[in-house]
Amino acid sequence: MRDRKESTPSRMAAVWVRCGPAALVLCAALVPLAAPSISSYIFYLMFWITMASAFNIIFGLTGYLPFGYVAFYGVGAYVTAVMWSRLGVPIPLSILSGGVLGVALSLLFAPTLRIRGIYFAIVNFSCAMALRILVANLPEAWTGGSLGISLSAIYNPNASFYTMMALMVLTIWTVGRVSGSRLGIALRCIREDPEAAQVLGVDVVRSRLKAWILAALFPSLAGGVEAWYTAIIDPDSSFNLLITTKTIVYAMFGGLGTVMGPVIGAVSLYALDDLIWGKFPMLNLLILGLLIVLLVLFLPRGIVGTVTRRHASLRAVIR
Amino acid sequence: MRGNSVILEVKDISKHFGGLTAVNRLSFEVQEGTVFGIIGPNGSGKTTSLNCINGLFRPDEGRIFFRGREIQGLPPHQVAKIGIGRTFQVPKIFKRISVMENLLAPVLSSPRTDQELKAKAREHLHSVGMLEMEDRLGEELSGGQQKLLELVRILMFDPQILLLDEPFAGVHPTLKTLFYKKIHELRKQGKTFILVSHDLTSVYALCQQIIVLDQGEKIAQGRPEEIKRNERVIEAYLGR
């Protein structure tokens, strides 16, 4: 349900918004030709953009904070690794299986959507932690126990790089489509006031379930692609709470509920995070914690949310 | 306007919250095309009654019929779809989405095109003098404008009954006049209203039939002139 008009002051922004992402993707496509460190940097940047954008569907648009969001990533990584290493399924199909299992997991967790706010966050976090323990205690013949699974035999950084790029583009495109659609309006209404949305005829249960499934699909696929790229997985890194935390912070910093927000948030904060990690490895988490505090205090709507609030003419362009 | 058939029938509904009886065996009928008032002191069960009608609460006892169809227990979104719209005492505007998106919210499942729906939304905005505000966020509207937006928002899905909960509370007299005008205009088109209000002047001016609640029970029913003279009503309001 995009609107028709575009005011004069927002034309520059419109050009940036329309051409910028295409130019970035084009540049990124050439990255595997560069040094491995640059390739790795861009791979993880695309990974975080995918995670933050997908997270935006359920938190930014719908208002549910899944604090155990890492569970989908972890399941995607493990299913991919198990399917390939134990069952001999080709890697593309293994990654897709991870996506399917991630969606199945979201359906299993779906009843928790009846609760909201901090209660939902805590329950979701508990589910993710339970899943981590379950995976770590499954027979070693399947999951490799605490040592995890090696995928070194199919290590292919270039193919996994381009797969992540495709996934990132697909995620951003999906978020854009959902945000501009009737479903997007329904989700924003649910985020604002589910009771009022119901009274107006919005099918809250069905709409939020669609959002939840979409929000689960992309991190599950991303988990599989990242497992392929790194060629090793283990329970500690696949179910690391820091993945949820960073996803939330990146999405919030850019602007929840907007399409461009999580992209801008991931690009700017990942660069900062990388810089801090390189210069002050011991202080990385401390600085991340401080950043969250500052973010909540001074930029609760994120970069895009703050800019569009102050400049109404940009709302039609930067979504 | 249709004839004076019963459009809504509430039969012996009760609603309890723990040990508190919010509504006790309440019954009334609403004629189509009329404005039906529900008044009573604070805590008398007015809003709870509306919540039972539009599905936000499921009555513990009793039945509710809309055009002969039993509706108690239906979820709110289905009650809306069969033609019952609702506004709230504190307007439930979606504050971080635009006025236009607020108006489109009730018609998201409509088979009509987005352009048709937007044109209809603009007509409604024009009717209340808010056409230039379609791109504003809900939070950028004044309290009165939010009430107006809430009213025209439910008109988007063309409900047959509008449940208005305290539409005049905290509203400027000019805006109140606009509300009156809108209600008269819609009534002429055949719409039915259930009006919950503490503003007795407005209730007496607009309603054809009024019920009075006190502590969850109906203590009086009649035309405005009858209610004004009713001893139990005066006692309930003034505590004599």
Side-chain angles (χ1 to χ4, degrees), chain A:
Chain A
M1 285 216 174
R2 303 235 163 152
D3 218 331
R4 73 278 176 235
K5 61 190 178 191
E6 213 169 88
S7 61
T8 313
S10 60
R11 269 186 206 149
M12 281 293 282
V15 172
W16 273 103
V17 166
R18 282 169 194 160
C19 303
L24 283 174
V25 168
L26 200 64
C27 291
L30 302 172
V31 164
L33 303 176
S37 61
I38 295 174
S39 174
S40 169
Y41 177 87
I42 299 294
F43 176 88
Y44 278 100
L45 178 60
M46 295 189 299
F47 168 77
W48 287 115
I49 289 174
T50 304
M51 292 293 286
S53 295
F55 175 79
N56 188 36
I57 299 173
I58 190 65
F59 188 43
L61 290 178
T62 320
Y64 284 80
L65 173 59
F67 215 70
Y69 198 56
V70 66
F72 299 120
Y73 159 84
V75 162
Y78 260 90
V79 170
T80 302
V82 168
M83 292 292 279
W84 176 79
S85 64
R86 310 301 191 240
L87 302 173
V89 176
I91 196 71
L93 283 180
S94 298
I95 292 169
L96 288 177
S97 306
V100 171
L101 260 288
V103 168
L105 185 70
S106 75
L107 293 174
L108 190 69
F109 288 170
T112 63
L113 291 167
R114 288 178 190 167
I115 48 177
R116 276 180 73 87
I118 190 68
Y119 305 104
F120 174 77
I122 291 168
V123 168
N124 190 264
F125 173 70
S126 308
C127 291
M129 291 305 101
L131 200 66
R132 174 191 174 162
I133 292 166
L134 178 73
V135 168
N137 287 287
L138 283 172
E140 275 195 35
W142 279 91
T143 59
S146 58
L147 293 175
I149 302 171
S150 170
L151 304 168
S152 53
I154 46 150
Y155 177 64
N156 188 340
N158 284 357
S160 50
F161 182 95
Y162 288 119
T163 309
M164 184 56 84
M165 181 183 282
L167 181 60
M168 177 192 71
V169 171
L170 180 66
T171 309
I172 297 171
W173 179 81
T174 305
V175 175
R177 293 287 294 184
V178 169
S179 178
S181 71
R182 293 185 182 194
L183 174 63
I185 296 176
L187 296 179
R188 283 191 284 271
C189 293
I190 294 168
R191 177 191 70 196
E192 296 292 304
D193 190 333
E195 192 178 77
Q198 271 194 311
V199 167
L200 290 172
V202 174
D203 191 337
V204 171
V205 175
R206 186 172 292 189
S207 302
R208 75 185 172 198
L209 184 63
K210 286 178 188 170
W212 184 230
I213 289 171
L214 280 175
L217 173 66
F218 296 110
S220 306
L221 293 170
V225 180
E226 205 245 358
W228 185 21
Y229 186 79
T230 56
I232 181 98
I233 60 158
D234 65 80
D236 283 341
S237 53
S238 294
F239 291 92
N240 190 338
L241 184 62
L242 202 58
I243 292 175
T244 301
T245 313
K246 285 189 175 184
T247 302
I248 295 172
V249 175
Y250 291 173
M252 277 183 74
F253 186 75
L256 288 162
T258 62
V259 181
M260 292 308 294
V263 178
I264 292 170
V267 169
S268 42
L269 278 192
Y270 182 65
L272 187 66
D273 196 31
D274 193 61
L275 189 73
I276 295 166
W277 189 250
K279 301 258 182 200
F280 317 101
M282 302 305 287
L283 296 175
N284 181 274
L285 289 180
L286 176 71
I287 293 170
L288 184 66
L290 275 174
L291 201 63
I292 295 171
V293 173
L294 293 174
L295 185 59
V296 171
L297 285 176
F298 299 109
L299 216 60
R301 294 191 184 207
I303 296 171
V304 174
T306 306
V307 168
T308 53
R309 194 180 185 206
R310 289 184 186 163
H311 305 280
S313 61
L314 294 175
R315 281 178 203 155
V317 184
I318 306 174
R319 296 180 65 95

Side-chain angles (χ1 to χ4, degrees), chain B residues 33-49:
Chain B
T34 61
V35 183
F36 185 91
I38 303 179
I39 62 172
N42 286 332
S44 58
K46 305 183 294 293
T47 298
T48 304
S49 305

Side-chain angles (χ1 to χ4, degrees), chain B residues 9-221:
Chain B
E9 188 181 4
V10 173
K11 275 180 132 176
D12 285 328
I13 62 161
S14 298
K15 183 68 191 171
H16 311 281
F17 297 102
L20 176 82
T21 300
V23 175
N24 191 20
R25 299 185 68 81
L26 176 65
S27 296
F28 60 85
E29 288 181 353
V30 180
Q31 304 291 320
E32 186 165 15
T34 61
V35 183
F36 185 91
I38 303 179
I39 62 172
N42 286 332
S44 58
K46 305 183 294 293
T47 298
T48 304
S49 305
L50 291 192
N51 287 342
C52 289
I53 294 170
N54 86 322
L56 281 176
F57 293 161
R58 188 188 182 101
D60 298 318
E61 295 155 33
R63 302 162 84 183
I64 301 168
F65 296 91
F66 173 69
R67 291 200 186 285
R69 177 186 170 183
E70 203 165 339
I71 61 164
Q72 82 278 354
L74 284 182
H77 72 274
Q78 282 184 21
V79 175
K81 284 201 164 77
I82 61 172
I84 299 179
R86 163 85 191 270
T87 67
F88 292 86
Q89 190 166 355
V90 177
K92 283 183 178 279
I93 292 301
F94 303 119
K95 295 191 172 174
R96 285 176 59 191
I97 65 175
S98 71
V99 167
M100 176 57 78
E101 285 179 323
N102 263 279
L103 288 166
L104 295 175
V107 286
L108 295 175
S109 55
S110 166
R112 297 172 70 178
T113 66
D114 293 355
Q115 290 315 311
E116 285 172 343
L117 293 172
K118 283 183 178 180
K120 187 179 176 185
R122 289 189 185 108
E123 274 173 33
H124 283 304
L125 283 177
H126 180 68
S127 74
V128 291
M130 290 173 62
L131 186 57
E132 75 286 3
M133 296 178 188
E134 68 169 83
D135 290 328
R136 286 201 199 170
L137 298 180
E139 65 187 359
E140 293 168 349
L141 303 181
S142 71
Q145 288 166 340
Q146 288 187 16
K147 288 222 169 211
L148 279 174
L149 175 59
E150 199 181 34
L151 177 66
V152 292
R153 188 174 66 180
I154 57 169
L155 294 177
M156 283 295 290
F157 69 88
D158 202 22
Q160 293 165 65
I161 296 191
L162 292 89
L163 315 179
L164 307 183
D165 195 355
E166 296 288 359
F168 311 116
V171 167
H172 187 273
T174 317
L175 217 52
K176 197 192 275 189
T177 311
L178 188 58
F179 260 106
Y180 276 31
K181 199 177 138 197
K182 196 77 192 162
I183 290 172
H184 281 306
E185 183 189 309
L186 290 165
R187 205 184 141 220
K188 276 184 196 164
Q189 291 168 19
K191 303 288 183 206
T192 307
F193 290 85
I194 296 182
L195 175 63
V196 165
S197 181
H198 276 118
D199 183 344
L200 296 185
T201 313
S202 299
V203 173
Y204 291 149
L206 289 166
C207 298
Q208 289 75 57
Q209 191 72 200
I210 299 168
I211 60 167
V212 187
L213 302 184
D214 188 24
Q215 296 181 16
E217 294 195 4
K218 184 168 81 175
I219 59 167
Q221 176 162 3

